[in-house]
Amino acid sequence: MASNDELTVPQEDLAQAWQRTLPERLHGGDKAEVLADGADPQTLRVHIQSAGHQMLDFDFSVQYVDSREIHVELTDVEKDGQTVDERNDTIQELIADYRRHLHECAQALHHFTHA
């Protein structure tokens, strides 16, 4: 069944709202950058630098399915600028953690996205 509940917020406004809200959801020291995806108006690109000694960077694609629901896809994990195998347990835990934070951020922005 198709949803009439489409996202109507301008992509740049949405990216800015995510940029303000996501850092509040992350662990202290983690850094996030949120950009509009130039190829898809329903998608944001999220880059997260994890704090600590690991020097890991995570890239996610966050696509709005409708005004409330998002689909999160991991696009890359790097350590010191080199792509790493994301299958190790520590990285899998971080990925799961960041996915949860991304969903929390989307929930926190419901008032903004659900007009």
Side-chain angles (χ1 to χ4, degrees):
M1 186 169 132
S3 172
N4 295 349
D5 187 20
E6 289 183 25
L7 184 67
T8 57
V9 176
Q11 190 181 32
E12 280 301 321
D13 294 351
L14 187 61
Q16 289 172 10
W18 270 77
Q19 185 64 57
R20 283 190 305 272
T21 307
L22 183 58
E24 299 168 2
R25 302 284 183 266
L26 297 176
H27 300 292
D30 286 353
K31 294 185 174 75
E33 182 180 18
V34 181
L35 301 169
D37 182 324
D40 182 353
Q42 304 297 98
T43 302
L44 300 173
R45 298 282 169 198
V46 179
H47 178 79
I48 299 174
Q49 284 181 301
S50 68
H53 315 302
Q54 297 163 345
M55 295 297 192
L56 290 168
D57 292 338
F58 296 83
D59 291 316
F60 293 93
S61 169
V62 176
Q63 182 178 36
Y64 272 82
V65 178
D66 59 30
S67 72
R68 296 174 196 229
E69 188 180 341
I70 61 169
H71 172 73
V72 176
E73 192 172 311
L74 176 73
T75 56
D76 193 25
V77 180
E78 293 185 350
K79 180 176 180 140
D80 296 326
Q82 300 293 313
T83 298
V84 296
D85 182 356
E86 66 263 10
R87 290 177 293 197
N88 93 36
D89 289 345
T90 304
I91 292 176
Q92 282 298 312
E93 286 175 24
L94 284 168
I95 291 168
D97 209 28
Y98 289 138
R99 280 181 188 274
R100 190 175 71 252
H101 294 313
L102 292 168
H103 282 281
E104 288 170 0
C105 185
Q107 285 178 335
L109 291 171
H110 274 179
H111 70 281
F112 187 71
T113 59
H114 189 67

